[in-house]
Amino acid sequence: MDGAVQGKVSIFSWLNENFEKIFMVAGILAITLFITWQVVYRYIITQFIERAGAAVWTEELSRYIFIWISYLALSVAIKKRSSIRVDIIYDKLPERLQAISWIVVETLFLVLTLVIAYFGYGQIERLLTYPQYTTALRIPFLIPYLILPFGFGLMALRLLQRIYGQIRVCGLLDSLIGLGVTLIILSPWYFVDYMDPLPVLFGYFALLCVIGVPIAISLGLATLSTIICSQTLPIEYMAQVCFTSIDSFPIMAIPFFIAAGEYMGAGGLSKRLLALADEIVGGLYGGIGLTAVVTCMFFGAISGSGPATVAAIGALTIPAMVERGYDKFFAAALVAAAGCVGVMIPPSNPFVVYGVSAQVSIGDLFLSGIVPGLMTGGVLMLYCYFYARKKGWRGEQKTRSMASLGNAAWEAKWALVVPIIVLGGIYGGVMTPTEAAAVAAFYGLIVGIFLYREMDFKQVCASCVTACETSSIIIVLMAMATLFGNIMTIEDVPGTIARWMLSITESKFIILLLINILLLIVGVFMEALAAIVILTPILLPVVTGVGVSPLHFGVIMVVNLAIGFLTPPVGVNLFVASGVAQAKIERIAVAVLPMILLMLLVLAIITYCPSVPLMLVS
C-alpha cells in the first residue's frame, strides 16, 4: 500500500516538474517539422504531383501551437525565476529585503495572470456563444484561444507555488510586510476615480521596473493600471491582445533560430568551428583569442544570440586562453565582446524583433547587419592582436598548412552549411526568414543526431526546452509591449516626442547623437530586446522626421544596444563570461572598456555613414 502511495507521489512530482515541458518539446519539434514540410512541399512535392495545391494548413497550425508553447514555457520560466528584469536595487538590498521583494514581485505577477486568465475565459464564453473557425483547417477558434485561461491559469498556479515557498522562507511577519507593500502599490486601483493616462502608464512602469518586476510584466501591469485608473480601453482587450499580438508568422523565426543554435551547439558544432578558426588565425600573436573572435562570428551566424554565443564558445576558449598564459579577465572580456557580434551578423533575434515592431523587411535588416558585424569583429581582432603582441602571448605553435586547413573545414562542413541555408534561402527568394529558421533548426537536429552523432534523446529534449523557455521570455515581452504601445498610440506619445525633439533642432547629426546617447544609457539598464520593443514606436517617428530610413535606424539601434550586452548592471554577456571564467565581473568590466570604445567607433561610422551598413542592400 505504501509503495502504491509512494509511486503516485513520485508520478505527481514528475508531472509537477515536467508537465509543461512535455508540450514544449512536442510543440517545438512539431512546428519545426510542419514549416520544413511547407518548404519541401512547395518546391519538391508540387513538382511531381499535379494539382497538389498549397500546404496552407502548416502555417496556420504552427502559429497556434507556437502561441501555446510560448505561454506554457513562461510557466517554466516562472519556476526558475528566469526573466528579463532590472535588478540594480535588488542586488544592493540585504538578504532579508531581497526575500521580501520576491513576495511583492510574484504577487504582482499573480494579479496580472489572474486578470488575463479571467478575461481569457470570457473570450471562451463568447466563442461558445458565437462560434468562429480558422480559415484553413476550420478548427474552432475556441481551441487556440483556450491558451488564455489555461496557460495564464497554469502560470497563476506556478506563481502560487513560488509564493508559498517564499512565505516559508520569509516567515509570517515578512510575508505580511510584502503583501502590504503590494496592496499599497495597487491602492490607486481602488481609491482613485480617474487619473491622467500618461503619468499612470509611465509612473507604474518605472516603479515596477525599479522594484524588480520582470520588464514584460511591468509593461502589462502598467497597461492594466492605466485601463483601470484612466478608462482608456476595455479591460477585456488585454486578454485578446495577448493572443492576437503574437499570432504572427514572422515572430516564429525567434524560437526557430534559438532552437537551431541549441541543436547545433549540443551536437558538437562549437568545437569543430573552433578547430577551423584555429587553423585560420591560431598561429598569430593572440592566436587563441583571435580564434575565439572568429568562432563567435561563425557561431553568431547560426544562433543569433549574444549570450548563447558567449556560453558556447567561452566554455571552450576562455580556459584554453588561461592555460596558454593569457590574463583571465582579458580572456573573459574578449569573448563577451565577441559575443555581441552574434546579434549583428544574421540571423539576429534583435533584428527580427525590430523588423516586426517597425514593419521593416527582416531580410534587408539581416543584410544590413553583415558589414557592422564584420567591422566589430575586425576591430576586436586588431585589439587582441596588438594587446597580445605587447604581452608576448603567442598562438599555439603547431604545423598549419593548406591540408590541415582543408581537413578542419571538412570536419566543420555540416556546420558551415547553416548560414548558407539561412542567408541563401532568404536572399535567393526561396524561403521567408521564418521558413529559413525552421529549416535550419531541422537541419541542426539531423546533423546533431545522425551526422555528428553527439545528441541523444535527453539532449534533444533539453535543447527544445531551453529554446522554448528562452524565446517565450521574448515573445511575452512583445505581447505586453503591444498593449503598452497601444496606450501610447492612443495618447499620441510618439508624435509628441517627435514634435518636441524636432522643435529643439532639425539637425540630423544632433538628433542621431542624442538618440545614440539615449540608447547607450538605456542599454546600461535594460536588456536589448526589451528596449527595442519599447523604444521603436517612440523613436522611429523622430528619425524618419529628419530623413533617416527605418532600415538604417534598425541597424543603429541593434548595434547600439549590442554594446549594452557589455555594460553592467544588465550586461548579460559579462554575466555569462563571468560564470564561465569564474572571475569577478568588476574586473572583467574594466578589461572590456577598450573594446567598448572600439565598438563605439564602429557605431559612429554606421550612424553617420549610412552607405556603410546599407552597402549590401539593393
Side-chain angles (χ1 to χ4, degrees):
M1 188 70 176
D2 289 341
V5 172
Q6 190 174 2
K8 289 180 181 179
V9 170
S10 62
I11 291 171
F12 177 79
S13 299
W14 186 87
L15 279 174
N16 181 56
E17 182 63 29
N18 298 290
F19 178 75
E20 298 95 336
K21 295 178 182 178
I22 297 169
F23 292 96
M24 290 158 61
V25 172
I28 190 72
L29 291 175
I31 62 177
T32 301
L33 290 172
F34 290 160
I35 301 304
T36 303
W37 168 255
Q38 178 173 292
V39 175
V40 171
Y41 187 91
R42 184 167 65 237
Y43 289 105
I44 299 177
I45 305 298
T46 55
Q47 302 301 314
F48 298 98
I49 302 176
E50 294 184 10
R51 299 182 181 179
V56 292
W57 63 271
T58 52
E59 179 179 326
E60 182 179 272
L61 186 57
S62 296
R63 288 202 324 270
Y64 297 140
I65 294 175
F66 159 70
I67 295 170
W68 268 78
I69 61 175
S70 294
Y71 284 128
L72 290 175
L74 192 59
S75 292
V76 176
I78 287 170
K79 289 194 291 184
K80 294 183 179 179
R81 285 180 173 165
S82 58
S83 58
I84 301 172
R85 72 187 200 124
V86 179
D87 48 15
I88 307 168
I89 304 294
Y90 175 85
D91 289 339
K92 298 184 184 303
L93 293 175
E95 188 174 336
R96 180 187 176 193
L97 292 181
Q98 285 184 343
I100 293 174
S101 77
W102 280 113
I103 296 282
V104 178
V105 167
E106 289 174 337
T107 304
L108 288 168
F109 196 164
L110 176 64
V111 170
L112 181 65
T113 57
L114 288 174
V115 168
I116 294 176
Y118 176 80
F119 287 102
Y121 182 73
Q123 293 283 336
I124 299 303
E125 289 183 321
R126 180 180 60 82
L127 289 168
L128 282 170
T129 307
Y130 305 102
Q132 298 178 33
Y133 301 90
T134 63
T135 306
L137 292 173
R138 305 301 296 167
I139 300 170
F141 262 114
L142 172 76
I143 294 175
Y145 265 91
L146 273 173
I147 188 58
L148 295 176
F150 180 77
F152 282 89
L154 187 57
M155 287 180 218
L157 175 63
R158 297 304 188 189
L159 285 163
L160 286 169
Q161 291 175 330
R162 288 245 52 123
I163 293 168
Y164 173 71
Q166 196 63 35
I167 288 173
R168 296 182 66 180
V169 171
C170 291
L172 181 61
L173 177 61
D174 285 357
S175 299
L176 289 173
I177 292 172
L179 293 173
V181 171
T182 305
L183 289 174
I184 292 170
I185 291 171
L186 299 180
S187 59
W189 291 13
Y190 305 99
F191 300 116
V192 177
D193 289 331
Y194 178 81
M195 293 177 67
D196 288 335
L198 293 184
V200 179
L201 186 71
F202 290 106
Y204 260 107
F205 177 65
L207 171 64
L208 294 168
C209 283
V210 165
I211 66 175
V213 177
I215 292 174
I217 308 310
S218 297
L219 290 167
L221 281 169
T223 304
L224 178 59
S225 302
T226 307
I227 290 173
I228 291 173
C229 297
S230 308
Q231 293 90 50
T232 48
L233 290 167
I235 196 168
E236 297 87 351
Y237 174 77
M238 289 194 66
Q240 184 176 356
V241 171
C242 283
F243 186 93
T244 57
S245 60
I246 63 172
D247 183 13
S248 165
F249 193 63
I251 294 177
M252 287 174 59
I254 294 171
F256 287 141
F257 281 133
I258 294 173
E262 288 290 331
Y263 299 152
M264 298 296 282
L269 161 75
S270 307
K271 60 186 180 184
R272 288 170 174 83
L273 290 178
L274 184 64
L276 175 59
D278 182 63
E279 286 294 329
I280 297 172
V281 294
L284 303 174
Y285 276 104
I288 190 65
L290 298 175
T291 299
V293 177
V294 173
T295 310
C296 284
M297 293 169 73
F298 279 143
F299 195 84
I302 294 169
S303 72
S305 167
T309 301
V310 176
I313 307 306
L316 296 170
T317 58
I318 293 175
M321 280 190 266
V322 173
E323 186 181 321
R324 288 168 174 77
Y326 286 60
D327 177 74
K328 177 167 66 173
F329 305 106
F330 169 82
L334 181 67
V335 174
C340 296
V341 180
V343 301
M344 301 179 202
I345 291 181
S348 159
N349 291 327
F351 275 137
V352 173
V353 173
Y354 175 83
V356 173
S357 301
Q359 297 297 298
V360 176
S361 165
I362 295 172
D364 286 347
L365 286 167
F366 282 179
L367 270 181
S368 302
I370 293 175
V371 173
L374 293 175
M375 290 173 65
T376 304
V379 296
L380 291 176
M381 290 177 70
L382 285 172
Y383 176 73
C384 176
Y385 175 79
F386 286 110
Y387 189 83
R389 185 162 187 163
K390 178 182 174 183
K391 296 288 186 179
W393 297 332
R394 289 299 300 263
E396 184 181 0
Q397 299 306 302
K398 66 177 186 179
T399 303
R400 291 178 173 84
S401 63
M402 290 303 295
S404 64
L405 175 62
N407 287 334
W410 181 254
E411 282 294 311
K413 61 184 179 298
W414 300 117
L416 296 174
V417 170
V418 178
I420 297 172
I421 291 174
V422 174
L423 302 183
I426 294 170
Y427 303 124
V430 177
M431 295 180 275
T432 66
T434 301
E435 290 174 336
V439 172
F442 178 76
Y443 176 83
L445 270 177
I446 299 300
V447 169
I449 296 171
F450 298 109
L451 299 179
Y452 289 162
R453 296 181 181 179
E454 295 190 17
M455 284 183 80
D456 56 23
F457 178 75
K458 188 175 180 180
Q459 288 174 310
V460 170
C461 291
S463 298
C464 289
V465 170
T466 302
C468 290
E469 185 185 338
T470 305
S471 65
S472 73
I473 296 169
I474 304 169
I475 302 306
V476 174
L477 177 65
M478 296 182 71
M480 296 302 166
T482 301
L483 289 164
F484 190 86
N486 287 344
I487 301 287
M488 289 199 301
T489 301
I490 291 170
E491 298 300 322
D492 193 31
V493 173
T496 302
I497 292 175
R499 288 189 292 271
W500 173 73
M501 290 194 72
L502 292 173
S503 70
I504 297 174
T505 177
E506 293 187 2
S507 167
K508 181 193 294 187
F509 182 92
I510 294 175
I511 284 179
L512 285 174
L513 177 63
L514 292 173
I515 287 177
N516 269 332
I517 292 171
L518 170 66
L519 290 172
L520 286 169
I521 294 171
V522 168
V524 170
F525 300 102
M526 189 177 291
E527 203 273 346
L529 295 171
I532 290 170
V533 296
I534 294 168
L535 294 177
T536 296
I538 296 176
L539 297 178
L540 195 57
V542 178
V543 295
T544 53
V546 292
V548 177
S549 73
L551 178 62
H552 181 210
F553 181 62
V555 181
I556 294 172
M557 179 174 259
V558 169
V559 173
N560 201 315
L561 293 172
I563 298 173
F565 282 104
L566 298 176
T567 50
V570 193
V572 287
N573 281 17
L574 286 185
F575 286 112
V576 175
S578 172
V580 171
Q582 296 295 299
K584 286 187 176 294
I585 194 168
E586 297 86 355
R587 299 283 300 275
I588 300 174
V590 172
V592 86
L593 283 175
M595 304 176 208
I596 291 177
L597 292 175
L598 290 170
M599 293 173 72
L600 289 173
L601 176 62
V602 173
L603 174 64
I605 293 171
I606 68 162
T607 298
Y608 295 111
C609 302
S611 59
V612 174
L614 304 183
M615 67 171 62
L616 299 179
V617 182
S618 56

